[in-house]
Amino acid sequence: MSTDETTAKAAKASLWFAICSIAQKCIGLIVIPIYTRLLSEPEYGDYVVFQSWTEIAAILITLNLGSYVFFNGMMKYEDDQDGFAASMLGLTGVTGLLWLGAFFAAPSFWSKLLGLAAPYVFLLVLRCIISPCYSYWSAKLRYEFQFKPVVALTLLLTIATPVISIPAIWFSTDKLAAALVAQVAVMAVVYLVPLVSIVSKSRKFFCVAYWRYALRFNLPLIPHLLSTVVLQQCDRIMIADLCGAAYAAIYNVAYSAGLAMSFIHSAIVQALTPWMYQLIKEKQYGKVQPVAASLLILIGGASFLLTLFAPEVMAVLAPSSYQEGIYAIPPVAACVMLMTAFNLFVTVEYFYEETLWVMFASIAAAVLNVLLNLWLLPMFGFIAASYTTMFCYFALVFGHYLLMCRAIRRHNPGMVLFNAPRIFCIVLAFMAATVACSVIYPYPWVRYALVVVFAAAVCFKRAWIVGTIKSILQIKGR
């Protein structure tokens, strides 16, 4: 296959993966109003805590072998890709059984540690054991730019889960158990497809060389991966522990609403990395700054607009008992822009392979978030968690800016990719504007007036906005 054909195939696959990701997020938002009305606040809070612990446990149980090391293994063992995939399945099968044995050895210990009933902890471990087969199968197909099977199965799972879960919750007396059992059961059935696909092509479940390579590569990354997930998930767990499961439920809905605009971030971040790599390699540094600044303004503006409608968004997503969560939406919405700024800076660090410091920065941010939550949640309640998250993301962005500068000084002195004062002015301005929206929530006419002003500004700058979107689409098409 020629280079042009490969590029075209990669661009098409990238587009469909982005569409699939957006569809998943949209379906996820659509089902929230149903779940919040079928489950009581404490039940939905426990449901949220289960999902958060699953995200954390998955890294420890599966070692996250379906991400970094798997793609490297596809290149390193190009002549035996099916064998490598089967071997990774065997490795996570062993680690999963070890963790399952640890649970059966002391179920009450794990139940108390996680704040979940023992049957739910068992479901959590089981879900982590069955999920790697999909990760390896989809990663291999992504590597080969085969998007149709991945998109089809992903959407099938995304749609089938609520279709099966909602009736199960409706007719069950134990609604939380019904929700969790239905979710894991659907995953187990759907994931038979990738499991059969991997096993039918190779049964090399044990290979010393492959296992050694995977463990040497991924084990040092576990602290970084774990701290990243802790930064994203620990708020709900700590709110449930310190404030109560009902407040964890309210916070989760607010958090989901605040991150609604993250589909913009998700849709372009995968294309942003190879684009920046190419420009740095070709020494076309001046092309990065205009796109970076425009991207931050676009995402910041979208997040600001979202916060203006926070009361209405919350009313759609949940009953009136959740309405106090509107005040958690603005700082969470600001985090979407901070995630984008983080990716801009960390991409340069990855380019120069300064990965050790990436790990330290992630761990520091996660620890800071936990400490701030321990200090502020008892004093100010669950809303404080949204502000600690925003502050920690800003600290992470600033830390990675300094680390990026360090990497440039070490590897390419004199290179200027970003106008740092402008970048941070944009970030701080939109953070302040977004958070300030919470002050005007009791005054709908003020919010609507600002929406009119915002719409007028969009019309006035429509040529710039269209140009920015075209620039982003060009990045996606590379």
Side-chain angles (χ1 to χ4, degrees):
M1 186 181 296
S2 67
T3 303
D4 290 341
E5 289 176 335
T6 302
T7 302
K9 194 173 182 180
K12 187 176 182 179
S14 177
L15 175 62
W16 276 104
F17 289 141
I19 292 172
C20 182
S21 177
I22 293 171
Q24 280 183 284
K25 291 181 183 298
C26 290
I27 293 172
L29 282 174
I30 290 170
V31 300
I32 286 177
I34 303 173
Y35 281 17
T36 54
R37 286 165 173 84
L38 287 177
L39 299 170
S40 67
E41 288 176 28
E43 287 174 333
Y44 188 64
D46 288 336
Y47 177 84
V48 166
V49 171
F50 176 89
Q51 307 301 333
S52 296
W53 274 122
T54 300
E55 293 289 325
I56 295 172
I59 294 176
L60 297 173
I61 295 174
T62 71
L63 305 180
N64 212 47
L65 297 177
S67 55
Y68 300 99
V69 70
F70 194 86
F71 287 106
N72 285 58
M74 289 291 99
M75 292 185 290
K76 184 177 179 66
Y77 303 107
E78 191 172 4
D79 296 333
D80 189 25
Q81 293 179 343
D82 293 328
F84 184 79
S87 186
M88 293 302 97
L89 189 63
L91 178 54
T92 47
V94 171
T95 58
L97 290 175
L98 289 174
W99 279 100
L100 191 62
F103 164 72
F104 282 125
S108 58
F109 166 78
W110 294 106
S111 177
K112 185 177 180 180
L113 178 67
L114 304 186
L116 296 169
Y120 299 152
V121 179
F122 170 74
L123 280 177
L124 185 154
V125 177
L126 184 62
R127 176 175 164 177
C128 292
I129 290 175
I130 63 178
S131 61
C133 61
Y134 169 79
S135 299
Y136 305 146
W137 174 81
S138 62
K140 185 174 183 295
L141 292 180
R142 285 172 185 267
Y143 179 81
E144 298 167 350
F145 306 125
Q146 296 185 41
F147 62 88
K148 291 182 181 179
V150 178
V151 170
L153 195 70
T154 302
L155 291 180
L156 173 63
L157 177 65
T158 305
I159 295 170
T161 300
V163 167
I164 300 299
S165 298
I166 290 170
I169 297 170
W170 179 273
F171 291 108
S172 177
T173 54
D174 191 341
K175 297 185 181 300
L176 175 61
L180 298 179
V181 170
Q183 183 185 76
V184 176
V186 171
M187 291 178 67
V189 173
V190 173
Y191 286 173
L192 284 174
V193 174
L195 178 62
V196 171
S197 176
I198 293 174
V199 173
S200 64
K201 294 176 181 177
S202 175
R203 289 181 172 80
K204 190 186 288 186
F205 301 120
F206 176 72
C207 177
V208 175
Y210 295 168
W211 283 26
R212 184 188 297 118
Y213 171 75
L215 293 173
R216 284 181 175 176
F217 188 104
N218 249 46
L219 284 180
L221 292 175
I222 295 300
H224 162 64
L225 297 169
L226 195 60
S227 58
T228 301
V229 174
V230 167
L231 181 59
Q232 296 170 350
Q233 302 293 336
C234 76
D235 290 348
R236 301 163 181 80
I237 296 171
M238 297 185 72
I239 289 171
D241 186 49
L242 297 175
C243 305
Y247 288 110
I250 297 172
Y251 180 81
N252 183 72
V253 176
Y255 195 91
S256 299
L259 291 184
M261 290 301 173
S262 65
F263 74 88
I264 303 176
H265 165 83
S266 300
I268 63 174
V269 71
Q270 290 181 339
L272 194 67
T273 299
W275 176 75
M276 285 183 60
Y277 272 30
Q278 190 66 28
L279 291 182
I280 296 173
K281 184 178 179 181
E282 296 174 355
K283 299 185 179 181
Q284 299 183 42
Y285 310 135
K287 292 184 178 182
V288 176
Q289 165 60 27
V291 174
S294 300
L295 183 60
L296 289 172
I297 292 172
L298 184 67
I299 293 178
S303 298
F304 174 72
L305 181 63
L306 171 70
T307 58
L308 290 176
F309 287 104
E312 289 77 12
V313 171
M314 202 67 175
V316 171
L317 292 179
S320 58
S321 56
Y322 285 69
Q323 197 63 16
E324 63 180 309
I326 61 174
Y327 293 99
I329 292 178
V332 172
C335 289
V336 179
M337 180 182 56
L338 292 170
M339 291 175 190
T340 306
F342 161 79
N343 276 284
L344 290 172
F345 297 149
V346 82
T347 297
V348 182
E349 297 173 63
Y350 280 132
F351 180 85
Y352 291 115
E353 300 182 357
E354 295 280 351
T355 54
L356 182 63
W357 291 99
V358 173
M359 178 186 71
F360 289 147
S362 300
I363 293 174
V367 171
L368 178 63
N369 194 30
V370 171
L371 294 176
L372 288 175
N373 281 337
L374 285 172
W375 177 36
L376 297 174
L377 281 176
M379 296 170 59
F380 299 104
F382 76 97
I383 301 295
S386 61
Y387 285 90
T388 61
T389 299
M390 182 184 69
F391 176 79
C392 289
Y393 266 111
F394 179 79
L396 189 65
V397 169
F398 186 72
H400 278 289
Y401 167 72
L402 297 178
L403 293 174
M404 180 197 70
C405 293
R406 176 183 178 275
I408 291 174
R409 285 195 304 269
R410 284 168 55 89
H411 299 277
N412 195 356
M415 181 181 75
V416 178
L417 281 180
F418 305 106
N419 182 336
R422 187 182 181 195
I423 292 290
F424 280 102
C425 281
I426 293 171
V427 168
L428 291 171
F430 275 108
M431 283 176 63
T434 303
V435 170
C437 286
S438 60
V439 179
I440 61 173
Y441 284 157
Y443 312 102
W445 62 273
V446 178
R447 289 192 292 113
Y448 298 146
L450 282 175
V451 171
V452 172
V453 172
F454 186 90
V458 169
C459 291
F460 181 72
K461 299 292 290 184
R462 62 184 181 276
W464 176 86
I465 294 172
V466 171
T468 299
I469 294 174
K470 285 183 177 179
S471 298
I472 294 170
L473 290 176
Q474 287 174 0
I475 294 173
K476 288 291 292 176
R478 282 175 178 260

